[in-house]
Amino acid sequence: MLHMERIKLYPIRTYTALMLLMLIIAVACRKDKIEPPAIAFKIAGYYPNSGMAGTLITVEGEGFGNDLTNYSASISGVPAEVISATPAYLVLRAPAGGSTGKLEIKYQGQAYTVGQYTYQELSLQKIFPVNGPVGTNIRINGAGFGNTSKPAVVTINGTEAVIVSLTDTLIIATVPDKASSGPVEVKVNGKSSTGPVFKVQVINEILPKTGGKGTKVTLKGSGFEKDLTKNQVTFKGKVAQVLEAAEDHLVVVAPDGVETGIVLLKVNDVITEGPVFTVVPKPVIDVVNPLSGLSGTEMTITGTGFSEITGETKVFINDKELPVSTVTKTAVKLIIPPNIGTGKVNVSVNGQTAEGPVFTDQALGIIRLNPESGAIGTEVTIFGTGFGDKTGDNIVTFNNIPAQVTSASTTQLKVIVPVGAATGPVKIRVNGKEAVSSKPFAIQSVSTLTSGLSANTSSIAVGLNGEIYATDPEKNQIVKVSANGMVTLFAGSSSGQAGNNDGSATSATFNRPIGIAADNSGNLYVVEENKTTIRKITPGGQVSTFSTGLWVIDRPAAITADLNNNTLYVNGTGDNYSMVRFKLNGGGRVDFSFSSPNLAQPKQRIGVDASGAVYYVAYGYPNSNSISTTKDPNLKIGSDDEVDFKDGDYSSARFNEIYSIVVNNKNQLLIADYGNNALRLVDQEKKVVSTIFKAGKGYQDGALSTVKFGELTDIAIAPDGTVYVLDKVNRAIRKVVY
């Protein structure tokens, strides 16, 4: 009540205050309002530049207004009617009584010279389409194109086009090679007429060429539209978001569900074809070493899916990008910069990111272990920084089991692998801080994954996620062994029916599946002993026929996937060839046929190293106790004539019936030495053969020195390097840590 009375007592003062407040608000609102910048009046071009009276002339540019009263036009001083106006186009009519001369426009009293207009019958008035790639047929409308004495000539920005059809009012011409964007011109009998600009659209390259969902891809070329909305880019039919557009480049984002295929650009419903964009898996970080350290420390990140192309592989710690020193497909090296802090290590390749472990910014760090595996009681040297220089200052554990430290310095410790230790990380604690080894220390041993296989199991392969697949030729089945050792039917008839039906998983049939291999995408490839086909099984269990090209081999025995070179090898016995190669993307066609020297017929699984060299056993000539290679026809590992068990250099080493050869992640050969019941290792760098274990007969897991096997018949290596051995007699798959 008192407040209302004050308003009544001081009406003028109150009114003034209210008006002042409204004025302040109005001014503030006006300041907050962002006015779009005015576009200056600018003429970019016009067409046609010739024609008779009544011809419609289009003037292109920007900053034009819609109000016709602001315009006037003339040709050689004769007024021309302006019949329409938009912000980007003016249309006027060539006046009757005009003559060849200057075309001029006045806008809001300011005069602008457009160009020369020629009064003649020849007139190029319209083209369709106005854009497209080389090879596009352009419809050119106008008048005066016909001439009986000399044919018309069409050029696009000065490059002559091929005329495929011509009348007096219509020309159809093909955009020639090496043409560039520019005006279309028609020349007839010494006269010429210039029309609209034709944009020649070319996608010269895309960068990067590989990636996946979310990868930012730059299309480089010409003839693109500056307006984002006028460029539609698709990746095998899936529309990509356009982030940036200019006449010579576009930046787009690879869409969800992107697949390998040709990149297409559509502008004004005209499609231009670009290069292939290849979808690759996300990068994978296997090991970051070290996991702690100070600035200046060299870090090595190993894994898969890295790109060697400069700028495509990026490393982040604590969300800060770090300069990279060197990159290969499997390793990145860099130097830790100052003030990086503690945080996760991430590697991004073309927008696809792998998340790694946490890096700790501190003085204490483990650089490497030597050796990286061993039995209980093995002496291990730990190299690093920030260690205590007294043995009692360092607490060391192997998978949480305390170890004895026998000597210490600030950069090196010697410790003994303790009783009870299992495969796991090595940790060091010094003055309350902790450092962890980047890789676990492996306790050398053999363990059983499963002993529930059929007694007829012939070969094994490892899938992308560590699951194992095994062939059973007697039951015509492929079984799957999970990480916990559970065996289930994966493909083939549950009743064991033989056949060659493709289809889903257990509705498909096989005819004595004898060999199996896996590719980088998790697909399985199976050869059948009684067939000349290779069958493909997707990770989802869909069975199809990959190839029918095995007729050159009488009896297929094994199949090997060369993951480095995207190929498959099938080997066995045959009159002409004992080995054939297929490209995984080659449509099932034989890429290469091979017969080993002296009619040798490699019956066992062959090995293929990182260089693509094939290592095989010369079965039957006269025995299977030596290894030959396509790398060097004169190279022999072992002896054709002598059966024995010996380690040593290539000429000294001896085997007793080799059953399987595989190549590990270090490009070493692992050999199933069947007759010696041993797993052998061939080091290609040192050119020596050693023994991982020589097992007693029977069935016993444990340390490599005490292990027992029924027989070693096949070997498979998981993507992470884990080794599995098929023990056929014991119906088991055994895991080997060495």
Side-chain angles (χ1 to χ4, degrees):
M1 189 67 173
L2 180 61
H3 179 66
M4 292 301 296
E5 287 178 355
R6 287 179 178 173
I7 291 177
K8 291 177 182 178
L9 287 171
Y10 308 105
I12 296 175
R13 188 181 299 173
T14 302
Y15 177 78
T16 303
L18 288 172
M19 291 300 293
L20 182 60
L21 178 61
M22 292 176 66
L23 180 62
I24 293 170
I25 292 172
V27 170
C29 290
R30 187 170 298 172
K31 287 181 178 178
D32 290 340
K33 185 177 181 181
I34 300 174
E35 296 289 346
I39 300 175
F41 187 92
K42 180 182 178 182
I43 294 172
Y46 70 108
Y47 60 88
N49 68 345
S50 66
M52 303 302 289
T55 299
L56 297 181
I57 305 168
T58 300
V59 181
E60 297 177 316
E62 59 185 10
F64 301 167
N66 296 322
D67 188 352
L68 293 180
T69 62
N70 287 325
Y71 295 96
S72 64
S74 63
I75 299 177
S76 291
V78 179
E81 179 187 5
V82 180
I83 61 175
S84 67
T86 70
Y89 295 95
L90 299 177
V91 179
L92 53 98
R93 193 189 320 273
S99 62
T100 297
K102 181 172 63 174
L103 169 60
E104 187 178 71
I105 289 175
K106 285 186 178 180
Y107 177 64
Q108 293 181 346
Q110 176 70 41
Y112 298 89
T113 298
V114 178
Q116 185 82 358
Y117 184 80
T118 302
Y119 273 82
Q120 62 182 23
E121 184 180 358
L122 178 61
S123 178
L124 194 167
Q125 297 167 5
K126 181 182 177 182
I127 65 171
F128 180 84
V130 296
N131 61 278
V134 168
T136 300
N137 284 335
I138 307 174
R139 295 175 62 88
I140 304 171
N141 295 97
F145 297 154
N147 185 3
T148 57
S149 62
K150 189 176 182 181
V153 174
V154 174
T155 61
I156 301 171
N157 203 26
T159 302
E160 187 172 343
V162 177
I163 295 175
V164 296
S165 177
L166 185 150
T167 69
D168 194 55
T169 58
L170 174 65
I171 297 174
I172 298 177
T174 303
V175 178
D177 290 338
K178 299 182 181 179
S180 58
S181 298
V184 178
E185 184 179 18
V186 176
K187 298 177 182 178
V188 179
N189 199 26
K191 297 179 180 180
S192 71
S193 181
T194 302
V197 167
F198 181 85
K199 286 189 174 182
V200 179
Q201 285 166 335
V202 179
I203 304 174
N204 293 322
E205 65 173 338
I206 60 172
L207 295 174
K209 297 177 177 64
T210 62
K213 173 189 173 184
T215 297
K216 289 184 180 179
V217 181
T218 299
L219 285 65
K220 293 186 176 183
S222 63
F224 306 149
E225 292 288 341
K226 294 180 182 179
D227 186 340
L228 297 179
T229 62
K230 291 183 179 179
N231 303 279
Q232 185 188 77
V233 177
T234 57
F235 289 69
K236 203 174 181 182
K238 294 183 173 63
V239 178
Q241 180 188 5
V242 181
L243 299 179
E244 183 181 324
E247 203 281 334
D248 62 349
H249 74 276
L250 299 173
V251 179
V252 302
V253 179
D256 190 10
V258 62
E259 300 177 69
T260 295
I262 293 172
V263 177
L264 299 178
L265 168 66
K266 184 165 75 171
V267 178
N268 298 325
D269 291 325
V270 179
I271 294 175
T272 301
E273 189 173 289
V276 170
F277 179 79
T278 303
V279 175
V280 295
K282 292 172 60 176
V284 175
I285 297 174
D286 291 332
V287 177
V288 175
N289 185 53
L291 290 175
S292 59
L294 295 175
S295 64
T297 300
E298 183 181 64
M299 173 182 284
T300 301
I301 304 170
T302 56
T304 57
F306 304 153
S307 171
E308 296 173 310
I309 298 173
T310 301
E312 290 193 359
T313 299
K314 298 181 179 180
V315 177
F316 299 85
I317 295 180
N318 217 16
D319 295 327
K320 300 173 185 175
E321 185 176 352
L322 280 63
V324 171
S325 304
T326 62
V327 184
T328 68
K329 292 178 181 179
T330 57
V332 182
K333 290 183 181 291
L334 55 98
I335 302 297
I336 300 296
N339 305 316
I340 196 63
T342 295
K344 281 194 173 181
V345 178
N346 292 335
V347 175
S348 176
V349 179
N350 296 334
Q352 298 193 98
T353 301
E355 189 174 284
V358 170
F359 175 81
T360 303
D361 189 359
Q362 64 179 26
L364 181 62
I366 298 175
I367 296 175
R368 65 185 176 92
L369 310 175
N370 184 33
E372 295 178 341
S373 65
I376 304 300
T378 299
E379 182 181 74
V380 177
T381 302
I382 305 174
F383 298 90
T385 58
F387 302 156
D389 58 5
K390 296 182 177 60
T391 58
D393 294 339
N394 306 276
I395 300 174
V396 180
T397 59
F398 283 69
N399 205 18
N400 297 321
I401 303 297
Q404 178 188 0
V405 181
T406 58
S407 71
S409 73
T410 57
T411 59
Q412 183 175 308
L413 301 178
K414 289 187 181 293
V415 298
I416 304 299
V417 178
V419 174
T423 296
V426 175
K427 296 180 181 179
I428 299 175
R429 290 185 63 84
V430 179
N431 296 327
K433 294 188 181 298
E434 183 176 84
V436 183
S437 61
S438 57
K439 293 194 292 186
F441 182 84
I443 302 297
Q444 295 174 340
S445 63
V446 172
S447 59
T448 296
L449 177 64
T450 182
S451 57
L453 297 178
S454 161
N456 303 304
T457 301
S458 58
S459 63
I460 57 176
V462 187
L464 281 181
N465 299 312
E467 74 281 13
I468 298 179
Y469 300 91
T471 54
D472 185 339
E474 298 297 327
K475 293 183 179 179
N476 300 302
Q477 295 174 345
I478 289 88
V479 298
K480 176 180 178 180
V481 182
S482 66
N484 61 5
M486 182 177 294
V487 181
T488 55
L489 176 63
F490 183 65
S493 169
S494 59
S495 65
Q497 176 185 352
N500 59 359
N501 295 328
D502 290 334
S504 59
T506 54
S507 66
T509 53
F510 295 85
N511 195 335
R512 292 190 60 78
I514 191 76
I516 190 167
D519 68 14
N520 282 323
S521 299
N523 299 303
L524 302 175
Y525 298 86
V526 177
V527 289
E528 299 161 284
E529 194 173 30
N530 291 343
K531 301 288 289 183
T532 60
T533 57
I534 301 175
R535 312 288 290 281
K536 178 180 178 179
I537 312 175
T538 67
Q542 192 67 28
V543 180
S544 61
T545 298
F546 173 75
S547 175
T548 57
L550 292 184
W551 56 270
V552 295
I553 296 179
D554 291 342
R555 197 175 180 85
I559 185 168
T560 300
D562 175 9
L563 302 183
N564 292 302
N565 298 290
N566 206 33
T567 56
L568 285 175
Y569 285 86
V570 177
N571 55 279
T573 60
D575 292 334
N576 299 314
Y577 300 104
S578 51
M579 192 185 309
V580 290
R581 183 177 70 194
F582 300 83
K583 287 286 186 183
L584 285 174
N585 57 1
R589 296 184 297 274
V590 173
D591 176 62
F592 170 76
S593 300
F594 171 76
S595 181
S596 54
N598 303 312
L599 299 180
Q601 296 176 336
K603 181 178 179 182
Q604 298 84 352
R605 185 194 293 274
I606 65 170
V608 186
D609 71 10
S611 71
V614 177
Y615 293 82
Y616 59 93
V617 176
Y619 180 81
Y621 182 72
N623 48 48
S624 54
N625 305 314
S626 64
I627 299 170
S628 299
T629 176
T630 58
K631 180 186 290 186
D632 180 358
N634 298 316
L635 179 66
K636 184 81 69 176
I637 305 174
S639 169
D640 286 337
D641 305 314
E642 186 177 345
V643 177
D644 204 341
F645 174 72
K646 290 181 182 179
D647 289 336
D649 60 33
Y650 286 177
S651 61
S652 302
R654 295 293 181 265
F655 301 93
N656 183 2
E657 199 169 357
I658 297 169
Y659 256 46
S660 182
I661 305 171
V662 298
V663 180
N664 67 14
N665 295 354
K666 296 180 180 179
N667 210 34
Q668 300 166 325
L669 310 183
L670 293 181
I671 313 295
D673 187 346
Y674 176 83
N676 286 315
N677 215 27
L679 183 63
R680 314 289 291 278
L681 179 73
V682 177
D683 189 320
Q684 294 199 76
E685 287 189 4
K686 298 178 181 178
K687 294 182 169 35
V688 296
V689 177
S690 60
T691 299
I692 295 173
F693 66 78
K694 187 176 189 299
K697 281 291 185 179
Y699 188 12
Q700 180 175 306
D701 288 339
L704 299 182
S705 58
T706 60
V707 70
K708 294 181 181 179
F709 271 73
E711 59 184 22
L712 286 74
T713 51
D714 197 15
I715 309 170
I717 299 180
D720 65 358
T722 303
V723 176
Y724 295 95
V725 175
L726 174 62
D727 183 350
K728 185 174 180 179
V729 166
N730 290 312
R731 305 186 179 190
I733 295 175
R734 317 278 290 275
K735 177 181 176 181
V736 180
V737 178
Y738 65 96

